[in-house]
């Protein structure tokens, strides 16, 4: 695996194969006093350990300055150990970091090699005389950033790395004259195997961009509707979340039964946007897989349903009527559809006619915090033809604050029958899952809980608490980076895209409190973890709420960050003082 080896960790006091015995106690945060620490003690320990091991690397000043200007990165390394007088009450950060820095991965490499050279067809450059990329391999290698490791996961897994000299682990598969070595015996084993489905072909993209794709069934349905939808605007897609394909592979490995792609905006799919179609990709390990669509009008949603029905392989299509973000809500999509009954009905009926697979709908309790309307809408959704509803037990105004209302979910499950209803909200342990299933729901959907502890699926199926060690958690991250390099690439652009999603995920993982140091079980999802000392250095590092420490973990897996690297998590609540 690329990057330095896992830091030495003391062996876990309990075997991860057996549940830890419950420890009694009633402290608010749930950690015994021998583990609790002040912020100053916590960061002083990490700093002392780094200096002792010589692992503390100098950082580009621009990285820290930029993060401090934005004011949401937690503590920086210089003042982490300083004594601060904290106010008695602090307002918790909410919402998204909308002005966070946006450094695209390809910006970290100034001189890039032309793709035609990498793919062995330099004489047929796609860009012709206007090409701005380098065509001389020697010239490129002279300015290429140093390799990040001696082994390439693509070469070791598939016998060939399609990124050739541009791979950041190229020394593993470059021969004389920068020739890309191929392990023919291993490569032959993968011939003809389709690992990832639902790719956007150039031909289909051309048809969509030139508006030559036929929407015969959708046009026929839409002609029967009264009124005309406004001309759809291109909606800037919300920032991608952590539910990407490499993360879903982790969840499948731990026992998730069903996976669903990230929310895709229907108007962008209809325009053939590559970045939007990437959200529909399905790994071969995802045996039951669906895609989730967002849209505000029957015209675009119905056409999108017909398009996907003809071009991709899925087991269900989900309409996201639970998205609370302003960008979507103000356009009439997401939660706003719960207040636009006519359009909502036309969308559900129209999409159901277009699809050969089940249509599902995800909703919230309502828009306003104390006004539940889901129980009124669910019978209509069933009548319109949807096969299933997923209910998140919070309103749009609540977002993710306070507890999910499972009593209301139970009431709605009875109303939905015989249509299945899945419940969603606040599940972080097998006890939470058991209580949810006792509410009469047909199943449960797990979102944040899986981000905090993806092994939750194993805990639910085996009905136990898993006292997973820090080294085991590190190897989960290692697997994620391997999956990321497979999916996004092992060149600079792919490495930095993998790092970006790894850091976003680490902003959730740091909330996990190890079972072995909890004073009472189970941990609750909305309890903010205190500062505490782990049972070894790595466990303590993984508990850090400091962005710089997340970056440090990424460097253990993917090597040093580029100069002027910046990162700020999508959600403000994930990075706090």
């Amino acid at each position: 695996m690329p990057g330095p080896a896992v830091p030495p960790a003391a062996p876990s006091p309990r075997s991860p194969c057996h549940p830890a015995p419950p420890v009694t106690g009633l402290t608010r945060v749930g950690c015994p006093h021998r583990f609790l620490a002040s912020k100053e003690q916590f960061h002083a320990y990490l700093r002392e350990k780094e200096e002792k091991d010589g692992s503390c690397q100098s950082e580009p000043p621009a990285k820290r300055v930029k993060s401090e200007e934005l004011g949401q990165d937690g503590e920086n390394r210089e003042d982490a150990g300083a004594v601060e007088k904290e106010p008695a009450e602090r307002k918790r950060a909410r919402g998204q970091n909308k002005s966070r820095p946006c450094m695209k991965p390809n910006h970290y490499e100034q001189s890039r090699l032309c793709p035609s050279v990498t793919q062995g067809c330099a004489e047929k450059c796609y860009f012709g005389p206007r090409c701005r990329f380098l065509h001389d391999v020697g010239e490129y290698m002279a300015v290429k950033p140093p390799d990040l490791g001696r082994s390439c996961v693509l070469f070791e897994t598939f016998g060939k790395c399609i990124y050739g000299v541009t791979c950041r682990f190229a020394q593993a598969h470059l021969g004389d004259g920068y020739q890309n070595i191929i392990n023919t015996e291993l490569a032959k084993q993968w011939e003809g195997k389709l690992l990832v489905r639902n790719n956007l072909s150039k031909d289909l993209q051309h048809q969509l961009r030139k508006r030559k794709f036929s929407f015969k069934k959708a046009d026929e349905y839409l002609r029967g509707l009264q009124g005309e939808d406004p001309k759809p605007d291109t909606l800037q897609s919300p920032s991608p979340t952590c539910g990407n394909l490499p993360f879903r592979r982790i969840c499948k490995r731990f026992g998730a039964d069903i996976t669903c792609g990230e929310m895709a905006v229907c108007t962008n799919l209809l325009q053939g946007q590559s970045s939007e179609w990437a959200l529909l990709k399905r790994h071969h390990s995802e045996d039951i897989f669906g895609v989730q669509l967002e849209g505000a009008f029957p015209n675009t949603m119905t056409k999108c349903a017909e398009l996907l029905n003809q071009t991709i392989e899925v087991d269900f299509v989900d309409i996201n009527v639970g998205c609370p973000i302003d960008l979507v809500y103000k356009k009439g999509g997401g939660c706003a559809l719960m207040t636009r009954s006519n359009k909502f009905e036309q969308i559900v009926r129209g999409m159901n006619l277009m699809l050969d697979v089940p249509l599902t709908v995800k909703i919230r309790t309502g828009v306003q915090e104390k006004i539940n309307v889901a129980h009124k809408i669910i019978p209509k959704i069933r009548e319109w033809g949807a096969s299933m509803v997923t209910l998140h037990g919070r309103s749009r105004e609540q977002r993710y604050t306070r507890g999910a209302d499972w009593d209301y979910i139970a009431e709605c499950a009875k109303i939905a029958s015989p249509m299945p209803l899945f419940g969603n909200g606040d599940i972080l342990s097998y006890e939470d899952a058991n209580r949810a299933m006792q509410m009469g729901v047909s199943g449960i959907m797990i979102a944040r809980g899986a981000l905090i502890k993806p092994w939750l699926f194993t805990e639910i199926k085996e009905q136990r608490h898993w006292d997973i060690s820090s080294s085991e958690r590190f190897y989960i991250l290692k697997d994620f980076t391997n999956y990321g390099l497979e999916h996004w690439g092992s060149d600079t652009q792919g490495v930095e895209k993998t790092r970006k999603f790894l850091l976003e995920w680490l902003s959730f993982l740091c909330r996990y409190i190890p079972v072995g140091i909890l004073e009472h079980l189970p941990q609750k999802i909305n309890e903010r973890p205190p500062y505490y000392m782990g049972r070894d250095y790595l466990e303590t590092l993984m508990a850090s709420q400091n962005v710089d420490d997340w970056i440090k973990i990424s460097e253990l897996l993917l090597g040093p960050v580029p100069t002027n690297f910046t990162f700020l998590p999508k959600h403000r609540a994930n990075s706090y003082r």
Side-chain angles (χ1 to χ4, degrees):
M1 176 61 207
V6 55
S12 177
R14 299 187 184 93
S15 167
C17 298
H18 300 283
V23 185
T24 58
L26 296 173
T27 56
R28 181 182 66 83
V29 291
C31 282
H33 291 296
R34 69 181 182 277
F35 291 111
L36 291 175
S38 67
K39 180 174 71 175
E40 293 76 26
Q41 291 171 328
F42 180 89
H43 289 293
Y45 166 76
L46 288 180
R47 191 168 60 251
E48 181 184 349
K49 181 70 175 176
E50 291 164 5
E51 291 170 354
K52 183 179 178 180
D53 294 347
S55 61
C56 186
Q57 300 176 3
S58 59
E59 302 171 19
K63 178 179 72 178
R64 292 197 301 269
V65 171
K66 181 65 178 176
S67 296
E68 289 162 14
E69 287 172 358
L70 291 157
Q72 290 295 342
D73 66 320
E75 307 84 16
N76 66 60
R77 291 177 182 167
E78 292 182 354
D79 66 3
V83 177
E84 296 180 8
K85 186 175 180 181
E86 296 188 7
E89 291 186 8
R90 293 170 293 169
K91 187 175 180 181
R92 179 174 161 186
R94 294 178 60 186
Q96 296 184 8
N97 284 312
K98 296 179 181 178
S99 59
R100 63 179 181 159
C102 183
M103 282 288 281
K104 292 185 177 180
N106 57 6
H107 289 173
Y108 293 119
E109 194 173 23
Q110 299 300 321
S111 301
R112 299 174 62 193
L113 192 66
C114 181
S116 63
V117 179
T118 309
Q119 295 168 20
C121 49
E123 67 282 356
K124 297 180 181 178
C125 177
Y126 311 121
F127 308 103
R130 296 176 298 173
C131 183
R132 299 178 183 178
F133 298 120
L134 297 176
H135 285 75
D136 186 286
V137 176
E139 184 182 353
Y140 169 76
M141 293 299 287
V143 296
K144 179 191 172 186
D147 276 4
L148 299 172
R150 295 182 178 181
S151 62
C152 170
V153 64
L154 276 74
F155 181 70
E156 289 185 349
T157 305
F158 305 109
K160 178 183 179 180
C161 177
I162 61 172
Y163 296 92
V165 294
T166 64
C167 174
R168 294 299 301 277
F169 313 92
Q171 58 184 292
H173 50 78
L174 284 190
D176 296 335
Y178 306 122
Q179 289 298 310
N180 198 26
I181 298 172
I182 298 175
N183 181 338
T184 51
E185 187 176 340
L186 181 56
K188 195 172 183 179
Q189 296 176 18
W190 293 97
E191 283 181 5
K193 293 184 179 179
L194 191 61
L195 301 179
V196 176
R197 286 170 280 177
N198 301 346
N199 293 294
L200 174 64
S201 68
K202 290 293 181 184
D203 180 57
L204 177 58
Q205 186 176 48
H206 179 78
Q207 288 182 54
L208 293 171
R209 287 180 173 176
K210 298 297 182 180
R211 298 185 180 181
K212 292 182 178 179
F213 189 89
S214 173
F215 296 101
K216 185 178 179 181
K217 285 180 68 177
D219 287 338
E220 184 179 341
Y221 169 75
L222 293 168
R223 278 194 292 270
L225 300 181
Q226 293 183 348
E228 200 171 306
D229 289 342
K231 188 176 180 181
D233 295 326
T234 299
L235 177 65
Q236 181 185 355
S237 295
S239 302
T241 59
C242 299
N244 47 68
L245 185 147
F247 175 74
R248 297 196 306 269
R249 287 182 66 181
I250 295 288
C251 293
K252 284 299 297 182
R253 210 183 75 197
F254 282 111
D257 294 318
I258 302 168
T259 52
C260 186
E262 298 174 88
M263 183 183 79
V265 179
C266 69
T267 50
N268 298 347
L269 292 173
L270 290 170
Q271 292 170 4
Q273 291 186 17
S274 299
S275 58
E276 210 71 24
W277 275 81
L279 303 177
L280 310 180
K281 289 185 179 181
R282 172 185 190 169
H283 191 260
H284 69 88
S285 63
E286 298 182 273
D287 47 351
I288 304 177
F289 172 76
V291 295
Q292 188 178 77
L293 301 181
E294 182 281 323
F297 300 100
N299 180 33
T300 49
M301 289 290 275
T302 305
K303 287 182 176 179
C304 194
E306 183 176 9
L307 169 66
L308 300 188
N309 195 58
Q310 295 183 39
T311 57
I312 67 172
E313 294 179 37
V314 291
D315 300 296
F316 64 93
V317 173
D318 186 64
I319 308 174
N320 190 335
V321 191
C323 181
I325 63 174
D326 295 342
L327 181 70
V328 171
Y329 183 80
K330 290 178 180 178
K331 295 274 188 178
C335 287
L337 276 177
M338 296 183 73
T339 65
R340 304 170 64 229
S341 185
N342 288 341
K343 294 297 181 188
F344 193 3
E345 177 182 359
Q346 291 170 356
I347 288 172
V348 174
R349 288 188 184 276
M351 291 182 70
N352 194 45
L353 283 172
M354 302 301 118
L355 295 169
D356 296 325
V357 295
L359 177 69
T360 65
V361 182
K362 180 174 185 273
I363 61 174
R364 284 182 174 244
T365 59
V367 173
Q368 295 172 288
E369 185 172 344
K370 296 181 180 180
I371 305 177
N372 293 337
V373 297
H375 63 284
K376 299 178 182 178
I377 296 174
I378 287 171
K380 296 178 181 178
I381 295 175
R382 182 183 60 215
E383 179 191 337
W384 299 338
S387 299
M388 192 191 85
V389 166
T390 301
L391 176 59
H392 182 174
R394 291 182 176 87
S395 66
R396 176 184 181 261
E397 285 185 355
Q398 277 182 271
R399 300 289 175 107
Y400 297 95
T401 60
R402 288 178 289 282
D405 190 345
W406 276 93
D407 289 332
Y408 182 64
I409 292 176
E411 178 187 334
C412 290
K414 292 176 183 177
I415 294 170
S417 183
M419 179 180 67
L421 183 142
F422 276 42
N424 169 231
D426 298 350
I427 295 172
L428 192 59
S429 67
Y430 76 85
E431 292 101 327
D432 294 335
N434 291 348
R435 279 191 292 270
M437 291 303 296
Q438 289 166 8
M439 293 293 184
V441 296
S442 302
I444 53 176
M445 188 189 81
I446 301 175
R448 283 187 303 162
L451 293 172
I452 295 170
K453 46 185 277 193
W455 54 93
L456 172 58
F457 301 103
T458 300
E459 291 189 339
I460 292 171
K461 292 197 169 182
E462 298 183 4
Q463 292 289 288
R464 67 182 176 95
H465 292 292
W466 185 353
D467 188 13
I468 189 168
S469 68
S470 59
S471 57
E472 287 175 301
R473 291 164 62 196
F474 185 83
Y475 282 109
I476 293 172
L477 297 177
K478 196 174 183 181
D479 286 338
F480 175 83
T481 55
N482 276 339
Y483 297 159
L485 295 172
E486 281 184 33
H487 186 57
W488 291 303
S490 59
D491 58 352
T492 295
Q493 186 171 341
V495 167
E496 294 313 318
K497 197 162 189 178
T498 300
R499 190 192 307 273
K500 171 188 170 184
F501 285 109
L502 172 64
L503 289 169
E504 203 72 66
W505 185 22
L506 285 169
S507 74
F508 285 92
L509 282 170
C510 68
R511 300 185 189 186
Y512 171 69
I513 303 175
V515 167
I517 67 173
L518 274 175
E519 187 162 22
H520 60 84
L521 299 172
Q523 178 185 356
K524 295 298 181 183
I525 201 166
N526 282 338
E527 284 183 347
R528 302 300 284 184
Y531 285 97
Y532 66 89
M533 297 295 190
R535 293 164 293 186
D536 54 59
Y537 166 68
L538 185 57
E539 192 166 78
T540 307
L541 182 65
M542 288 178 167
S544 178
Q545 302 152 15
N546 185 345
V547 172
D548 285 347
D549 288 326
W550 305 339
I551 292 173
K552 193 182 308 170
I553 293 171
S554 84
E555 290 180 323
L556 293 173
L557 294 158
L558 292 166
V561 296
T563 305
N564 298 330
F565 178 85
T566 59
F567 174 76
L568 203 61
K570 179 179 179 181
H571 299 284
R572 289 176 181 168
N574 285 13
S575 178
Y576 54 93
R577 294 185 184 277

